[in-house]
Amino acid sequence: MSDLLPYNLDAANLSLDYIAGFISSAGSFMWIKQRLQDIPVFQLKIEKDDKILLEMIASRLGLKERIYEYTHQGRSYAMLLVRRRKTIKEVIIPTFDQRLFGTKKEQFDKWRDRYNLESLNFRYKPDPAPTYVGAGYLGGFFSSGIGSADTLS
């Protein structure tokens, strides 16, 4: 990637504190509704001319998310969206916890706290198992006796 960067800039040169400062002005921590479930989202949105900076930030943080480009009311933007829960849990939250200040810190803290509170409900729950499918099968588990795992060959 460094051969694409102007002035020999390298993503490794971006400090996490610099990125935190950048997030203070261009970042958002939000929740969106998707399939009747609230999904945590981290977003960075800037003018398209500075897209290279988003690429550097994504590279520095090890993010694999795509950077989107779009135009709205005659202005062009570049936007990085992080929705992958594992990335939020393992990269975004630990990286920016205790690095933000002021209003952005308050927004982050509320978002992080809600994420931690709701993370128990994030797992996709399978359709309820039938309570009876045959001898010995009750509520998704085999009971001992006919049809149990230890009697199957």
Side-chain angles (χ1 to χ4, degrees), residues 47-72:
E47 301 251 347
K48 183 182 169 189
D49 293 346
D50 293 324
K51 179 182 174 187
I52 193 76
L53 189 52
L54 279 187
E55 292 171 351
M56 291 173 65
I57 290 170
S59 175
R60 173 68 172 92
L61 296 176
L63 302 177
K64 297 176 183 164
E65 281 74 10
R66 179 178 162 213
I67 295 173
Y68 299 91
E69 293 181 16
Y70 71 97
T71 302
H72 178 69

mmCIF file of all heavy atoms in Angstrom, residues 47-72:
data_model
loop_
_atom_site.group_PDB
_atom_site.id
_atom_site.type_symbol
_atom_site.label_atom_id
_atom_site.label_comp_id
_atom_site.label_asym_id
_atom_site.label_seq_id
_atom_site.Cartn_x
_atom_site.Cartn_y
_atom_site.Cartn_z
ATOM 1 N N GLU A 47 -14.206 14.005 3.249
ATOM 2 C CA GLU A 47 -14.271 14.376 1.836
ATOM 3 C C GLU A 47 -13.467 13.366 1.015
ATOM 4 O O GLU A 47 -12.421 12.886 1.454
ATOM 5 C CB GLU A 47 -13.706 15.785 1.628
ATOM 6 C CG GLU A 47 -14.431 16.840 2.407
ATOM 7 C CD GLU A 47 -15.264 17.754 1.536
ATOM 8 O OE1 GLU A 47 -15.101 17.732 0.301
ATOM 9 O OE2 GLU A 47 -16.070 18.498 2.109
ATOM 10 N N LYS A 48 -13.953 13.070 -0.165
ATOM 11 C CA LYS A 48 -13.332 12.050 -1.021
ATOM 12 C C LYS A 48 -11.869 12.368 -1.333
ATOM 13 O O LYS A 48 -11.041 11.454 -1.462
ATOM 14 C CB LYS A 48 -14.123 11.907 -2.314
ATOM 15 C CG LYS A 48 -13.604 10.844 -3.233
ATOM 16 C CD LYS A 48 -14.408 10.786 -4.516
ATOM 17 C CE LYS A 48 -13.720 9.909 -5.533
ATOM 18 N NZ LYS A 48 -14.357 9.996 -6.829
ATOM 19 N N ASP A 49 -11.532 13.632 -1.410
ATOM 20 C CA ASP A 49 -10.147 14.010 -1.719
ATOM 21 C C ASP A 49 -9.153 13.480 -0.686
ATOM 22 O O ASP A 49 -7.977 13.318 -0.980
ATOM 23 C CB ASP A 49 -10.015 15.538 -1.798
ATOM 24 C CG ASP A 49 -10.766 16.125 -2.981
ATOM 25 O OD1 ASP A 49 -11.160 15.359 -3.892
ATOM 26 O OD2 ASP A 49 -10.977 17.355 -2.996
ATOM 27 N N ASP A 50 -9.624 13.214 0.527
ATOM 28 C CA ASP A 50 -8.758 12.718 1.593
ATOM 29 C C ASP A 50 -8.922 11.222 1.833
ATOM 30 O O ASP A 50 -8.544 10.709 2.892
ATOM 31 C CB ASP A 50 -9.040 13.477 2.898
ATOM 32 C CG ASP A 50 -8.639 14.938 2.806
ATOM 33 O OD1 ASP A 50 -7.621 15.232 2.138
ATOM 34 O OD2 ASP A 50 -9.335 15.782 3.393
ATOM 35 N N LYS A 51 -9.436 10.511 0.846
ATOM 36 C CA LYS A 51 -9.671 9.072 0.981
ATOM 37 C C LYS A 51 -8.397 8.323 1.387
ATOM 38 O O LYS A 51 -8.443 7.363 2.142
ATOM 39 C CB LYS A 51 -10.215 8.500 -0.327
ATOM 40 C CG LYS A 51 -10.461 7.016 -0.279
ATOM 41 C CD LYS A 51 -10.946 6.485 -1.619
ATOM 42 C CE LYS A 51 -11.050 4.977 -1.568
ATOM 43 N NZ LYS A 51 -11.355 4.415 -2.882
ATOM 44 N N ILE A 52 -7.264 8.777 0.925
ATOM 45 C CA ILE A 52 -5.997 8.117 1.248
ATOM 46 C C ILE A 52 -5.780 8.051 2.766
ATOM 47 O O ILE A 52 -5.239 7.078 3.283
ATOM 48 C CB ILE A 52 -4.813 8.820 0.536
ATOM 49 C CG1 ILE A 52 -3.552 7.980 0.602
ATOM 50 C CG2 ILE A 52 -4.541 10.184 1.117
ATOM 51 C CD1 ILE A 52 -3.561 6.840 -0.351
ATOM 52 N N LEU A 53 -6.261 9.067 3.472
ATOM 53 C CA LEU A 53 -6.139 9.075 4.922
ATOM 54 C C LEU A 53 -6.975 7.957 5.553
ATOM 55 O O LEU A 53 -6.527 7.285 6.481
ATOM 56 C CB LEU A 53 -6.543 10.433 5.485
ATOM 57 C CG LEU A 53 -6.283 10.678 6.953
ATOM 58 C CD1 LEU A 53 -4.839 10.380 7.335
ATOM 59 C CD2 LEU A 53 -6.626 12.108 7.313
ATOM 60 N N LEU A 54 -8.183 7.737 5.020
ATOM 61 C CA LEU A 54 -8.999 6.617 5.510
ATOM 62 C C LEU A 54 -8.307 5.284 5.240
ATOM 63 O O LEU A 54 -8.339 4.374 6.074
ATOM 64 C CB LEU A 54 -10.373 6.607 4.843
ATOM 65 C CG LEU A 54 -11.433 7.540 5.391
ATOM 66 C CD1 LEU A 54 -12.768 7.270 4.714
ATOM 67 C CD2 LEU A 54 -11.565 7.441 6.877
ATOM 68 N N GLU A 55 -7.683 5.169 4.072
ATOM 69 C CA GLU A 55 -6.962 3.933 3.741
ATOM 70 C C GLU A 55 -5.804 3.711 4.715
ATOM 71 O O GLU A 55 -5.553 2.585 5.148
ATOM 72 C CB GLU A 55 -6.459 3.989 2.304
ATOM 73 C CG GLU A 55 -7.581 3.942 1.290
ATOM 74 C CD GLU A 55 -7.129 4.216 -0.139
ATOM 75 O OE1 GLU A 55 -5.962 4.621 -0.339
ATOM 76 O OE2 GLU A 55 -7.958 4.046 -1.045
ATOM 77 N N MET A 56 -5.120 4.779 5.067
ATOM 78 C CA MET A 56 -4.013 4.671 6.010
ATOM 79 C C MET A 56 -4.507 4.268 7.400
ATOM 80 O O MET A 56 -3.904 3.428 8.060
ATOM 81 C CB MET A 56 -3.246 5.999 6.081
ATOM 82 C CG MET A 56 -2.481 6.323 4.815
ATOM 83 S SD MET A 56 -1.749 7.982 4.863
ATOM 84 C CE MET A 56 -0.572 7.796 6.201
ATOM 85 N N ILE A 57 -5.613 4.867 7.828
ATOM 86 C CA ILE A 57 -6.180 4.539 9.140
ATOM 87 C C ILE A 57 -6.625 3.080 9.169
ATOM 88 O O ILE A 57 -6.320 2.349 10.112
ATOM 89 C CB ILE A 57 -7.335 5.496 9.494
ATOM 90 C CG1 ILE A 57 -6.778 6.894 9.775
ATOM 91 C CG2 ILE A 57 -8.146 4.971 10.675
ATOM 92 C CD1 ILE A 57 -7.822 7.985 9.901
ATOM 93 N N ALA A 58 -7.317 2.647 8.120
ATOM 94 C CA ALA A 58 -7.764 1.247 8.045
ATOM 95 C C ALA A 58 -6.566 0.304 8.081
ATOM 96 O O ALA A 58 -6.576 -0.710 8.779
ATOM 97 C CB ALA A 58 -8.602 1.026 6.792
ATOM 98 N N SER A 59 -5.528 0.650 7.355
ATOM 99 C CA SER A 59 -4.321 -0.175 7.332
ATOM 100 C C SER A 59 -3.652 -0.211 8.705
ATOM 101 O O SER A 59 -3.269 -1.270 9.205
ATOM 102 C CB SER A 59 -3.340 0.360 6.288
ATOM 103 O OG SER A 59 -2.130 -0.346 6.338
ATOM 104 N N ARG A 60 -3.530 0.946 9.330
ATOM 105 C CA ARG A 60 -2.874 1.039 10.657
ATOM 106 C C ARG A 60 -3.618 0.218 11.699
ATOM 107 O O ARG A 60 -3.022 -0.409 12.558
ATOM 108 C CB ARG A 60 -2.797 2.506 11.076
ATOM 109 C CG ARG A 60 -2.289 2.744 12.487
ATOM 110 C CD ARG A 60 -0.816 2.368 12.612
ATOM 111 N NE ARG A 60 -0.278 2.769 13.887
ATOM 112 C CZ ARG A 60 -0.249 2.007 14.974
ATOM 113 N NH1 ARG A 60 -0.731 0.787 14.944
ATOM 114 N NH2 ARG A 60 0.264 2.466 16.096
ATOM 115 N N LEU A 61 -4.959 0.189 11.603
ATOM 116 C CA LEU A 61 -5.767 -0.555 12.570
ATOM 117 C C LEU A 61 -5.962 -2.016 12.173
ATOM 118 O O LEU A 61 -6.532 -2.788 12.933
ATOM 119 C CB LEU A 61 -7.135 0.121 12.748
ATOM 120 C CG LEU A 61 -7.116 1.533 13.332
ATOM 121 C CD1 LEU A 61 -8.518 2.108 13.365
ATOM 122 C CD2 LEU A 61 -6.477 1.543 14.715
ATOM 123 N N GLY A 62 -5.504 -2.371 10.980
ATOM 124 C CA GLY A 62 -5.658 -3.747 10.515
ATOM 125 C C GLY A 62 -7.081 -4.078 10.100
ATOM 126 O O GLY A 62 -7.498 -5.237 10.155
ATOM 127 N N LEU A 63 -7.830 -3.073 9.670
ATOM 128 C CA LEU A 63 -9.224 -3.278 9.274
ATOM 129 C C LEU A 63 -9.303 -3.793 7.842
ATOM 130 O O LEU A 63 -8.533 -3.369 6.983
ATOM 131 C CB LEU A 63 -10.012 -1.968 9.380
ATOM 132 C CG LEU A 63 -10.031 -1.312 10.754
ATOM 133 C CD1 LEU A 63 -10.775 0.013 10.705
ATOM 134 C CD2 LEU A 63 -10.648 -2.246 11.785
ATOM 135 N N LYS A 64 -10.236 -4.692 7.602
ATOM 136 C CA LYS A 64 -10.436 -5.256 6.269
ATOM 137 C C LYS A 64 -11.673 -4.688 5.587
ATOM 138 O O LYS A 64 -11.984 -5.049 4.465
ATOM 139 C CB LYS A 64 -10.554 -6.773 6.367
ATOM 140 C CG LYS A 64 -9.288 -7.410 6.895
ATOM 141 C CD LYS A 64 -9.439 -8.887 7.084
ATOM 142 C CE LYS A 64 -8.149 -9.431 7.694
ATOM 143 N NZ LYS A 64 -8.310 -10.750 8.257
ATOM 144 N N GLU A 65 -12.379 -3.808 6.278
ATOM 145 C CA GLU A 65 -13.605 -3.239 5.734
ATOM 146 C C GLU A 65 -13.320 -2.376 4.511
ATOM 147 O O GLU A 65 -12.284 -1.726 4.414
ATOM 148 C CB GLU A 65 -14.323 -2.398 6.797
ATOM 149 C CG GLU A 65 -15.105 -3.204 7.797
ATOM 150 C CD GLU A 65 -14.250 -3.935 8.814
ATOM 151 O OE1 GLU A 65 -13.036 -3.702 8.890
ATOM 152 O OE2 GLU A 65 -14.806 -4.752 9.559
ATOM 153 N N ARG A 66 -14.274 -2.372 3.619
ATOM 154 C CA ARG A 66 -14.186 -1.587 2.389
ATOM 155 C C ARG A 66 -14.434 -0.111 2.688
ATOM 156 O O ARG A 66 -15.207 0.223 3.579
ATOM 157 C CB ARG A 66 -15.265 -2.110 1.432
ATOM 158 C CG ARG A 66 -15.318 -1.407 0.141
ATOM 159 C CD ARG A 66 -16.377 -2.034 -0.757
ATOM 160 N NE ARG A 66 -16.686 -1.076 -1.783
ATOM 161 C CZ ARG A 66 -17.865 -0.933 -2.338
ATOM 162 N NH1 ARG A 66 -18.849 -1.716 -1.986
ATOM 163 N NH2 ARG A 66 -18.056 -0.032 -3.251
ATOM 164 N N ILE A 67 -13.798 0.755 1.930
ATOM 165 C CA ILE A 67 -14.038 2.194 2.022
ATOM 166 C C ILE A 67 -14.973 2.561 0.870
ATOM 167 O O ILE A 67 -14.672 2.314 -0.296
ATOM 168 C CB ILE A 67 -12.727 2.989 1.971
ATOM 169 C CG1 ILE A 67 -11.901 2.650 3.215
ATOM 170 C CG2 ILE A 67 -13.010 4.490 1.878
ATOM 171 C CD1 ILE A 67 -10.523 3.224 3.237
ATOM 172 N N TYR A 68 -16.110 3.122 1.225
ATOM 173 C CA TYR A 68 -17.135 3.470 0.241
ATOM 174 C C TYR A 68 -16.951 4.902 -0.217
ATOM 175 O O TYR A 68 -16.504 5.754 0.544
ATOM 176 C CB TYR A 68 -18.532 3.336 0.862
ATOM 177 C CG TYR A 68 -18.849 1.941 1.320
ATOM 178 C CD1 TYR A 68 -18.569 1.528 2.621
ATOM 179 C CD2 TYR A 68 -19.427 1.022 0.454
ATOM 180 C CE1 TYR A 68 -18.854 0.250 3.041
ATOM 181 C CE2 TYR A 68 -19.714 -0.261 0.858
ATOM 182 C CZ TYR A 68 -19.427 -0.645 2.165
ATOM 183 O OH TYR A 68 -19.714 -1.913 2.580
ATOM 184 N N GLU A 69 -17.332 5.147 -1.463
ATOM 185 C CA GLU A 69 -17.357 6.503 -1.998
ATOM 186 C C GLU A 69 -18.775 6.800 -2.443
ATOM 187 O O GLU A 69 -19.438 5.934 -3.014
ATOM 188 C CB GLU A 69 -16.420 6.627 -3.199
ATOM 189 C CG GLU A 69 -14.963 6.479 -2.851
ATOM 190 C CD GLU A 69 -14.066 6.637 -4.082
ATOM 191 O OE1 GLU A 69 -14.536 7.141 -5.121
ATOM 192 O OE2 GLU A 69 -12.901 6.248 -3.989
ATOM 193 N N TYR A 70 -19.238 8.007 -2.164
ATOM 194 C CA TYR A 70 -20.567 8.389 -2.614
ATOM 195 C C TYR A 70 -20.637 9.907 -2.735
ATOM 196 O O TYR A 70 -19.801 10.634 -2.198
ATOM 197 C CB TYR A 70 -21.653 7.847 -1.679
ATOM 198 C CG TYR A 70 -21.717 8.526 -0.337
ATOM 199 C CD1 TYR A 70 -22.633 9.549 -0.098
ATOM 200 C CD2 TYR A 70 -20.870 8.156 0.701
ATOM 201 C CE1 TYR A 70 -22.696 10.176 1.128
ATOM 202 C CE2 TYR A 70 -20.929 8.771 1.933
ATOM 203 C CZ TYR A 70 -21.852 9.785 2.141
ATOM 204 O OH TYR A 70 -21.904 10.409 3.351
ATOM 205 N N THR A 71 -21.643 10.363 -3.453
ATOM 206 C CA THR A 71 -21.876 11.790 -3.645
ATOM 207 C C THR A 71 -23.260 12.126 -3.112
ATOM 208 O O THR A 71 -24.226 11.408 -3.378
ATOM 209 C CB THR A 71 -21.782 12.174 -5.138
ATOM 210 O OG1 THR A 71 -20.479 11.807 -5.609
ATOM 211 C CG2 THR A 71 -21.992 13.658 -5.346
ATOM 212 N N HIS A 72 -23.332 13.208 -2.349
ATOM 213 C CA HIS A 72 -24.601 13.661 -1.793
ATOM 214 C C HIS A 72 -24.658 15.174 -1.919
ATOM 215 O O HIS A 72 -23.750 15.874 -1.471
ATOM 216 C CB HIS A 72 -24.722 13.233 -0.331
ATOM 217 C CG HIS A 72 -25.973 13.694 0.338
ATOM 218 N ND1 HIS A 72 -27.214 13.204 0.003
ATOM 219 C CD2 HIS A 72 -26.170 14.619 1.312
ATOM 220 C CE1 HIS A 72 -28.129 13.785 0.755
ATOM 221 N NE2 HIS A 72 -27.521 14.651 1.549
#
